[in-house]
Amino acid sequence: MPAPKSCVQCGKCLEVCPLFKATGREELTPRAKFFLESICAGDDQGAGLSERDFKSLASLCLSCGRCEKNCPQHMSGPALVTDLRAKSKGFTQACWDLWLKNPGLLWPMAAVLSKFSPEILPEPFGSARKRMQALFSRSLEPWADLVPQAKFEERKVMLFKGCVGRYARKDWSIKAERLMDGMGLIRGEDADFSCCGSSYGSAGLLERRNNSRAKNIEVWKDAGRPLLVTFCATCLKGLREYSLADFAGDEELYESWQECLTPLSSLLLDAEVKLRENVPEQVAYHKPCHAPDDDTDQKLVGLIAAERMLPVQEGLCCGFGGIMQLGAPELSKEVGDYSLAQHTKCMKSGGQILSGCSACVIQLVSLVKDDYFAAHWLDILK
Amino acid sequence: MQNYPEQFSRTHKKFLQNLFPGRESSFDDGTLLACGVDASQRHAKPLALVRPQEIAQVVELLRWAHEERVPVYPRARATNKVGNCVPVRHGVVVSMLDMNEILDIDGRDFVAVTQPGVITADLQKAVEAQGLFYPPDPASMKISTIGGNISTCAGGMRAVKYGVTRDYVLGLEVILPGGEIIRTGGRTQKNVVGLDLTRLMVGSAGTLGLVTEATVKLLPLPETSASVLVGFKDLDGCLCGAEAVFGCGILPTAMELMDQNTIKALEIHSDVPWPAGTGGLLLLKIDGSAESVNTDLRRIEESLQAVAVTFVEKGSGADQERLWELRRVISPAAFNLASDKQGEDVAVPRGKVAKAIKGYHSIGTKLGLTVLCFGHLGDGNIHVSTMYNKSAGEQEKALEAKKKIFQLTLELGGTLSGEHGIGLTKAKYINMQLDKTQQRLMAGIKNAFDPLKIMNPGKVV
Ligand SMILES: Cc1cc2nc3c(=O)[nH]c(=O)nc-3n(C[C@H](O)[C@H](O)[C@H](O)COP(=O)(O)OP(=O)(O)OC[C@H]3O[C@@H](n4cnc5c(N)ncnc54)[C@H](O)[C@@H]3O)c2cc1C
Ligand code: SF4
Ligand code: SF4
């Protein structure tokens, strides 16, 4: 991506920003963020806008990255927000810090938290377990079997479970490993990977992000540079974003890292699909903001669901938005509700919304109406 | 200058909050600042932002604003480039974006009825799904609204063959200052009763009233289209190419030109298909039945044989969007040449285009600035962008260029603006084109609609 220049107020980002789409609030658009930034930095001393007000408005961003892709000037909302957060030591920031430091306890709380304002944040900590159960009580019955083809891969492989796979949905990790075994892949010893780092990054915790990256690279090198398999689009994106600097400028190592990152779904596109009787009538694929260009999760869901698959709607963001859960839970919910309304507009009762990103799944599961189901595609597999 | 309120009284604010409950009104600094800027990059801070959901609210708002002498600034996606959305006298910004329903698409009357906040491309998609066609296609069609397009009389690349927004507006519902509702025109294609208030409203940039509904004319959707991008060594080659195409009796849907400097900006910005050494480009589109498009394509190719070209690329169906995307990104890509841009969208009679472009280039050369010419060769509407660096103190020179460009344009029988209008940024040049009598008549019309000057004050249409 070429270096950003400056915002020319053309308004192209309004076409894609999910916050604007769901709320219609112009002050939340990337265009507004950059304008407010420019006048805060300018001669007229913010023209009546306090720094605090600017920061709280500008940091409302879901880090979906759409603005940057669509902007002729390559302006990036997430980069602005990361920068703001990196420089701010506000309350929300501290909460987020706490949350990420204790992923075992708190990650599954992401969606539930969105129902609380930061002021009463401590409450849900106490009843984490109870709420966790509530969040996953409506899990769906698997309806497909995948018989993967053997893969002749000499390299070792390892599963990068991500925070959710490690602490909250261990069943996803178990299924993923079983599929890997089914392909005859040689799985390395379970290793202690850290968070992929992307959540730290968007929260502005750059030091912690860099530490995570360093740790993961270390573990991967020690394991003999295995293929790293992921089942979460955001983890994959987070891992792909490691920069040459994270590898101390070692280009060969960097290239090898990039080449090792493998979405689990990409290994399953030639699998044999067997459907059970309880197969749903309709399936929608929720395309995560962080999905790679070649979205093999979408392909896999399409392969399994075949004619049951509804046309994929581009441009819908689940609204999870990391730190926004804490700072502006209502907004996060509003965006999520908007997405679900679009997904279920033409969907019959009992329809399922599948995705390949842990954060999307958590958000959608917590907001979806009783008539429908939301799940990771791993959930539909026996 | 007339006095407008600098602050709102508590009663004012209460009134607005009652009429626009909850999120429909905002008064916080961040929101107000954010709705006071547009693509001209000028800005001012209003006293309130309101977001009407229905006509009754607009009626009540304009009744109140008239009574209280509060300026009203209609706003849609704020993509206009001349500052037409900037609330220079504060007042209330009225965002029309929530009134965004398509009310009717009628294939027998060949009309669509729509609220103003609908995105133009969405309207187009909706009518195309029924085999119908709404031709006006400003480059901003995916990011601007039909209400904004009507209020600026937006024109696009298809203007050569199909005309501009004004040619498609059959009727309007407008709320006047004071709260009266008028319905101009209607669903008929012909209508000669009375003065043409519909056309008067089109392009009036929110200075006469607020448009709350529009009836637009539709055509049958052409069966297919195809595009051709042709490269030439230089501008002369390009213009010869254009002559050759017109000479073979074809009226293309669109005919766009890009000069050498535009090519340079695009080369930095995007992956481009043309070979090095290309100094001028023509981008053509034709549409019609599959047979006629094929025949036309062949004739175009034949006519171009007499001219030296550096490359030709054809596209049809969805594939041609690739070619058109290059045209759409010129505006932003221009910033690759310098940090600041002063864009003019002058228009000259078609036969004067060659003379005009050469003249604009030489104005740039004399002042030591890069001047980009691109745009609608087919209808004589040329975008002339003077690129400069404010930080290097080149602003003065840019302004001088602007004046000279305008002078030359008018000498050639052209107009200061073919698309974007006058607004704030070009207000002081209006005397160059309109004489006293014309301006007096226009002021009289404005006065008949808006005697207290509450609609978009501070702007020139
Ligand atoms: C990248 C880019 C490309 C562009 N390309 C073109 C082009 O090819 N051709 C072209 O003509 N223009 C072009 N424009 C300019 C701009 O897109 C047009 O002027 C467009 O019509 C503005 O629409 P909008 O919805 O953004 O309206 P706004 O900019 O929000 O409003 C425009 C004017 O209309 C008034 N207004 C808006 N809604 C109403 C209403 N309901 N009632 C009364 N007044 C109202 C506003 O007060 C303002 O004066 C381009 C702009 C950009 C940024
Ligand atoms: S952020 Fe980019 S797309 Fe959005 S208004 Fe600014 S320049 Fe245009
Ligand atoms: S990252 Fe997404 S939510 Fe944030 S400003 Fe950009 S488009 Fe909007």
Side-chain angles (χ1 to χ4, degrees):
Chain A
M1 214 17 102
K5 300 181 179 78
S6 66
C7 171
V8 292
Q9 297 289 312
C10 70
K12 276 198 88 173
C13 48
L14 274 60
E15 191 188 340
V16 294
C17 176
L19 263 185
F20 176 66
K21 265 195 205 170
T23 65
R25 289 171 58 188
E26 228 190 287
E27 64 276 19
L28 302 179
T29 58
R31 177 170 75 177
K33 288 179 171 64
F34 293 116
F35 170 64
L36 296 177
E37 185 196 28
S38 76
I39 61 165
C40 276
D43 304 334
D44 43 2
Q45 291 296 307
L49 184 67
S50 74
E51 173 145 332
R52 211 179 110 240
D53 286 352
F54 163 60
K55 280 188 177 160
S56 58
L57 246 190
S59 62
L60 296 175
C61 165
L62 299 158
S63 299
C64 74
R66 286 194 174 80
C67 47
E68 186 174 2
K69 278 193 210 147
N70 211 44
C71 171
Q73 299 291 97
H74 313 295
M75 302 300 288
S76 158
L80 171 71
V81 171
T82 297
D83 188 50
L84 284 179
R85 285 174 185 163
K87 288 178 192 151
S88 117
K89 293 272 168 285
F91 175 58
T92 316
Q93 175 82 24
C95 294
W96 181 248
D97 203 4
L98 188 68
W99 180 12
L100 284 168
K101 249 195 298 200
N102 300 288
L105 174 66
L106 293 168
W107 250 96
M109 297 299 302
V112 185
L113 276 179
S114 75
K115 300 189 177 104
F116 296 88
S117 66
E119 282 70 30
I120 51 163
L121 189 64
E123 193 276 328
F125 283 74
S127 46
R129 218 162 272 283
K130 213 173 82 204
R131 284 168 204 285
M132 201 160 116
Q133 279 161 1
L135 180 55
F136 296 110
S137 61
R138 241 168 54 88
S139 62
L140 47 78
E141 279 292 307
W143 49 266
D145 295 287
L146 275 192
V147 187
Q149 299 271 329
K151 294 277 172 316
F152 302 98
E153 172 64 58
E154 282 168 15
R155 268 180 296 180
K156 267 199 309 185
V157 299
M158 280 172 101
L159 183 65
F160 186 89
K161 298 173 184 170
C163 298
V164 175
R166 224 151 62 128
Y167 300 109
R169 297 300 306 263
K170 294 187 183 146
D171 56 321
W172 290 349
S173 301
I174 294 169
K175 279 188 190 172
E177 287 177 343
R178 222 180 275 147
L179 286 166
M180 287 155 69
D181 293 345
M183 287 180 263
L185 296 169
I186 311 155
R187 214 146 43 77
E189 292 263 305
D190 216 10
D192 201 15
F193 283 110
S194 172
C195 165
C196 66
S198 66
S199 305
Y200 293 136
S202 60
L205 305 171
L206 299 183
E207 195 181 316
R208 181 152 302 150
R209 180 193 72 186
N210 295 344
N211 291 343
S212 278
R213 288 182 172 184
K215 169 93 189 296
N216 287 335
I217 294 170
E218 218 38 59
V219 172
W220 169 74
K221 275 202 305 201
D222 288 350
R225 302 191 192 181
L227 281 193
L228 266 189
V229 176
T230 62
F231 53 76
C232 168
T234 297
C235 291
L236 180 68
K237 175 168 184 283
L239 297 170
R240 281 191 176 160
E241 276 173 355
Y242 289 20
S243 65
L244 192 54
D246 293 312
F247 297 84
D250 183 338
E251 280 185 34
E252 191 267 330
L253 196 63
Y254 170 72
E255 298 279 318
S256 150
W257 168 266
Q258 291 294 343
E259 190 251 331
C260 283
L261 302 174
T262 312
L264 177 61
S265 51
S266 71
L267 301 170
L268 295 169
L269 295 176
D270 54 359
E272 191 189 333
V273 181
K274 290 184 190 160
L275 299 183
R276 301 177 165 218
E277 278 159 17
N278 60 339
V279 43
E281 243 182 286
Q282 289 178 322
V283 172
Y285 176 69
H286 172 81
K287 197 177 182 70
C289 301
H290 296 158
D293 288 339
D294 179 19
D295 187 357
T296 48
D297 288 336
Q298 177 177 339
K299 286 184 185 157
L300 183 66
V301 173
L303 221 64
I304 300 174
E307 75 280 0
R308 291 167 186 83
M309 177 106 150
L310 296 171
V312 175
Q313 302 189 56
E314 304 274 338
L316 292 181
C317 170
C318 72
F320 179 83
I323 195 170
M324 249 190 52
Q325 294 280 339
L326 301 174
E330 348 61 50
L331 208 54
S332 161
K333 180 172 179 303
E334 196 174 339
V335 177
D337 285 339
Y338 173 84
S339 269
L340 280 165
Q342 300 299 314
H343 279 310
T344 54
K345 206 160 51 183
C346 302
M347 193 183 249
K348 293 185 201 148
S349 172
Q352 302 189 353
I353 302 155
L354 304 179
S355 191
C357 160
S358 306
C360 293
V361 172
I362 289 182
Q363 172 86 341
L364 296 176
V365 166
S366 80
L367 296 177
V368 73
K369 300 269 180 313
D370 282 347
D371 288 350
Y372 309 101
F373 289 92
H376 194 286
W377 56 262
L378 278 166
D379 286 319
I380 63 166
L381 301 181
K382 183 63 193 161
Chain B
M1 197 169 71
Q2 189 167 337
N3 275 339
Y4 298 104
E6 284 294 322
Q7 291 291 329
F8 271 166
S9 68
R10 207 180 283 175
T11 335
H12 281 147
K13 198 166 160 186
K14 239 205 191 116
F15 171 84
L16 289 174
Q17 277 167 330
N18 277 335
L19 185 57
F20 298 95
R23 267 200 203 168
E24 292 171 18
S25 53
S26 306
F27 302 88
D28 65 283
D29 293 331
T31 306
L32 294 182
L33 284 163
C35 73
V37 60
D38 65 21
S40 70
Q41 304 195 50
R42 302 272 183 108
H43 64 92
K45 192 173 165 192
L47 303 174
L49 164 71
V50 298
R51 292 171 35 170
Q53 314 290 308
E54 51 187 57
I55 295 165
Q57 285 173 304
V58 182
V59 168
E60 190 52 18
L61 175 74
L62 288 195
R63 188 199 57 72
W64 170 84
H66 189 73
E67 211 158 83
E68 302 289 327
R69 315 277 198 272
V70 173
V72 170
Y73 287 95
R75 177 181 182 86
R77 278 289 185 95
T79 64
N80 86 85
K81 296 179 168 176
V82 293
N84 267 329
C85 290
V86 181
V88 280
R89 310 273 187 268
H90 317 300
V92 188
V93 168
V94 188
S95 167
M96 300 305 287
L97 294 180
D98 289 349
M99 291 183 68
N100 59 356
E101 253 179 84
I102 300 173
L103 303 171
D104 184 24
I105 296 172
D106 189 329
R108 285 173 67 192
D109 286 354
F110 278 91
V111 298
V113 181
T114 173
Q115 291 191 316
V118 173
I119 300 298
T120 307
D122 291 345
L123 176 69
Q124 285 168 333
K125 248 186 273 159
V127 303
E128 280 166 24
Q130 303 192 21
L132 299 163
F133 185 38
Y134 176 72
D137 62 336
S140 55
M141 62 193 173
K142 285 194 207 158
I143 55 170
S144 65
T145 65
I146 192 75
N149 288 182
I150 289 171
S151 304
T152 57
C153 187
M157 326 209 201
R158 296 198 277 239
V160 197
K161 179 167 175 183
Y162 291 107
V164 296
T165 302
R166 108 162 34 91
D167 302 308
Y168 292 85
V169 185
L170 295 176
L172 291 172
E173 178 186 75
V174 182
I175 317 296
L176 300 179
E180 263 176 305
I181 306 181
I182 57 165
R183 289 189 148 268
T184 72
R187 280 168 98 97
T188 60
Q189 309 268 334
K190 292 181 175 174
N191 182 349
V192 292
V193 177
L195 293 179
D196 193 342
L197 296 181
T198 310
R199 282 219 165 190
L200 185 59
M201 285 305 302
V202 176
S204 64
T207 59
L208 301 180
L210 248 158
V211 175
T212 46
E213 191 187 293
T215 304
V216 297
K217 173 166 114 175
L218 304 174
L219 301 179
L221 183 65
E223 184 186 347
T224 188
S225 65
S227 298
V228 197
L229 180 64
V230 195
F232 302 88
K233 207 166 85 301
D234 52 27
L235 186 69
D236 279 326
C238 216
L239 296 166
C240 287
E243 282 310 308
V245 172
F246 280 125
C248 71
I250 292 173
L251 183 60
T253 316
M255 181 188 266
E256 296 288 305
L257 163 133
M258 299 168 221
D259 74 352
Q260 193 168 7
N261 292 332
T262 309
I263 292 172
K264 197 155 81 187
L266 283 172
E267 284 170 349
I268 305 173
H269 187 270
S270 314
D271 285 333
V272 298
W274 52 81
T278 300
L281 289 161
L282 273 188
L283 181 52
L284 299 166
K285 188 182 230 171
I286 44 177
D287 65 6
S289 67
E291 288 149 8
S292 71
V293 164
N294 261 334
T295 320
D296 286 358
L297 263 185
R298 225 183 19 251
R299 277 165 70 189
I300 289 177
E301 276 176 297
E302 279 165 17
S303 71
L304 285 172
Q305 267 164 11
V307 192
V309 301
T310 63
F311 108 122
V312 178
E313 187 161 325
K314 285 185 282 189
S316 54
D319 181 48
Q320 52 190 321
E321 286 313 305
R322 193 172 39 86
L323 302 176
W324 285 95
E325 195 49 33
L326 287 164
R327 166 62 184 86
R328 289 191 191 109
V329 300
I330 294 178
S331 268
F335 289 98
N336 286 308
L337 300 182
S339 63
D340 301 277
K341 179 171 86 173
Q342 181 180 272
E344 317 308 339
D345 67 317
V346 291
V348 294
R350 206 157 67 191
K352 295 281 167 47
V353 168
K355 203 163 176 191
I357 293 182
K358 284 181 187 162
Y360 303 144
H361 281 161
S362 95
I363 291 171
T365 314
K366 276 188 200 138
L367 290 163
L369 299 173
T370 305
V371 170
L372 256 76
C373 295
F374 62 95
H376 319 311
L377 177 61
D379 56 36
N381 179 202
I382 308 296
H383 293 279
V384 185
S385 296
T386 307
M387 304 308 300
Y388 67 101
N389 290 311
K390 208 186 263 178
S391 53
E394 290 176 345
Q395 201 162 9
E396 283 298 307
K397 277 201 264 177
L399 283 174
E400 206 178 322
K402 187 190 202 80
K403 201 145 184 211
K404 294 212 156 106
I405 290 166
F406 284 166
Q407 261 157 6
L408 176 62
T409 304
L410 293 172
E411 277 162 30
L412 294 172
T415 170
L416 300 188
S417 177
E419 282 182 346
H420 298 313
I422 297 296
L424 202 55
T425 57
K426 285 179 231 164
K428 66 173 178 208
Y429 302 100
I430 190 82
N431 294 334
M432 289 175 77
Q433 184 169 337
L434 298 182
D435 62 30
K436 287 247 149 43
T437 315
Q438 291 182 71
Q439 290 191 45
R440 196 193 68 230
L441 287 171
M442 289 179 194
I445 293 171
K446 163 82 179 169
N447 198 43
F449 276 79
D450 181 21
L452 302 178
K453 301 191 176 44
I454 60 162
M455 292 306 298
N456 206 354
K459 311 299 166 58
V460 176
V461 176

